[in-house]
Amino acid sequence: MSDVIEDIEIRLLLEALHQRYHYDFRHYAQASVRRRLRQARHQLGFANFSAMQEALLHDEAMLPRLLGYLTVQVSEMFRDPSYFRAIREKVVPHLRTYPSLKVWIAGCSGGEELYSYAILFREEGLEERTLFYATDISQDALETAGRGIYALDRIARFTENHRASGGKSSLSDYYTTAYGAAAFDKSLRERVVFSDHSLVTDAVFAEMQLISCRNVMIYFDRMLQDRAIGLFKDSLVRGGFLGLGSKESIRFSGHAGAFGDFVRAEKIYQRRDP
């Protein structure tokens, strides 16, 4: 198959996904989308992307299978511990001044970052006044996050990250183990709202004090990155905080002027007054 024909088929497949199911990947970084779709085509046994498109249009069972490839994200608890240490030491003192808090974890994937925040906020005495919104476009990811169960061989890394982030307790206080897995305490989810939300097509969440969207926008093209940052700007209270991934930035966004650097090294920004 020539690259030209493959590009046409991929564009038509993404258009079909958008028109049929309202999932819009047309402005995701094309190299990443192409790589993931090639993997899906190979593993699902399609001869070409046109055959995959036909199956997607006529068999709704194809949707979650395809989304599983397009939305794969590798994460871990307290990923980039220095980021969470900065949240703990620099951002939390500001958050203490609010009588109630709303925190949005955008692109929560399997929930590792959500539980990181829930544990951090419990250790800092903020959990009881906080409502967490955990959103993703993948229903499978939301269900995984809602279960809070992770393979036991991942826990050593989670524990190391938690300690390096300035954790004030043992991570083992928050989970039980059985059958080769660690199940995190249900109480960590009591103040969590799980919701299907797309940064591509959906509207803002209003009045957030903290938004964390890390390692999501690296898959977006420039136009979509700008849209997402605009959503975050409109969803934050004045003085609220935005945390991005280590390879992400608001520097080239048309909304950059609405933010100031708060912890530059960790990509933590603060919403300025208009």
Side-chain angles (χ1 to χ4, degrees):
M1 181 188 302
S2 73
D3 289 343
V4 173
I5 293 175
E6 182 179 80
D7 286 346
I8 293 170
E9 286 192 320
I10 287 175
R11 286 199 300 271
L12 292 173
L13 173 63
L14 296 179
E15 187 64 35
L17 179 61
H18 178 239
Q19 293 290 334
R20 177 76 168 84
Y21 299 105
H22 309 293
Y23 285 96
D24 194 350
F25 289 87
R26 296 172 301 174
H27 296 287
Y28 277 51
Q30 288 305 297
S32 174
V33 168
R34 183 181 292 105
R35 182 176 65 253
R36 293 180 181 200
L37 287 177
R38 283 173 174 169
Q39 181 184 20
R41 182 176 65 81
H42 175 72
Q43 294 188 356
L44 296 176
F46 290 99
N48 51 54
F49 291 114
S50 293
M52 185 185 293
Q53 177 188 324
E54 182 178 4
L56 181 68
L57 288 172
H58 298 288
D59 181 5
E60 292 186 358
M62 265 294 296
L63 176 63
R65 298 172 72 188
L66 184 57
L67 287 179
Y69 289 94
L70 287 172
T71 61
V72 169
Q73 295 180 24
V74 178
S75 188
E76 58 192 37
M77 290 187 65
F78 295 94
R79 181 179 182 179
D80 302 321
S82 59
Y83 169 86
F84 283 96
R85 182 178 285 275
I87 293 290
R88 188 187 299 271
E89 296 177 354
K90 305 294 186 182
V91 175
V92 162
H94 290 265
L95 298 181
R96 291 190 195 283
T97 65
Y98 293 94
S100 63
L101 294 165
K102 290 182 180 179
V103 176
W104 178 12
I105 313 299
C108 70
S109 190
E112 293 92 340
E113 185 167 4
L114 166 67
Y115 290 103
S116 302
Y117 272 105
I119 290 168
L120 190 156
F121 274 50
R122 179 173 293 186
E123 291 176 342
E124 297 297 332
L126 293 177
E127 182 187 26
E128 291 301 315
R129 71 174 88 166
T130 303
L131 188 60
F132 297 95
Y133 293 86
T135 67
D136 204 278
I137 65 170
S138 168
Q139 193 60 43
D140 287 345
L142 291 171
E143 290 173 2
T144 298
R147 288 191 294 268
I149 299 174
Y150 304 101
L152 202 56
D153 60 8
R154 303 180 68 195
I155 298 302
R157 183 60 180 268
F158 292 178
T159 300
E160 178 184 339
N161 289 348
H162 173 245
R163 188 181 303 116
S165 75
K168 296 181 177 179
S169 57
S170 171
L171 192 67
S172 62
D173 294 339
Y174 303 103
Y175 64 83
T176 56
T177 61
Y179 306 107
F184 279 80
D185 197 319
K186 291 181 180 178
S187 67
L188 294 170
R189 300 188 289 274
E190 288 179 354
R191 302 189 62 79
V192 179
V193 176
F194 294 98
S195 179
D196 183 342
H197 182 275
S198 170
L199 295 173
V200 180
T201 56
D202 291 336
V204 302
F205 279 95
E207 300 298 302
M208 297 287 164
Q209 280 75 32
L210 171 63
I211 297 174
S212 190
C213 183
R214 306 182 67 234
N215 307 302
V216 175
M217 292 197 302
I218 56 174
Y219 300 110
F220 295 174
D221 69 9
R222 185 64 55 80
M223 183 180 75
L224 189 50
Q225 288 176 5
D226 200 60
R227 184 188 195 277
I229 293 169
L231 282 180
F232 300 148
K233 177 197 71 174
D234 293 339
S235 298
L236 281 169
V237 300
R238 285 179 293 176
F241 299 91
L242 170 65
L244 300 180
S246 60
K247 295 180 175 63
E248 297 166 331
S249 174
I250 64 171
R251 181 179 175 186
F252 300 106
S253 170
H255 304 286
F259 295 91
D261 290 326
F262 188 74
V263 184
R264 182 191 294 265
E266 301 301 335
K267 302 297 179 70
I268 299 172
Y269 305 92
Q270 188 171 29
R271 176 79 162 89
R272 290 172 168 165
D273 287 338

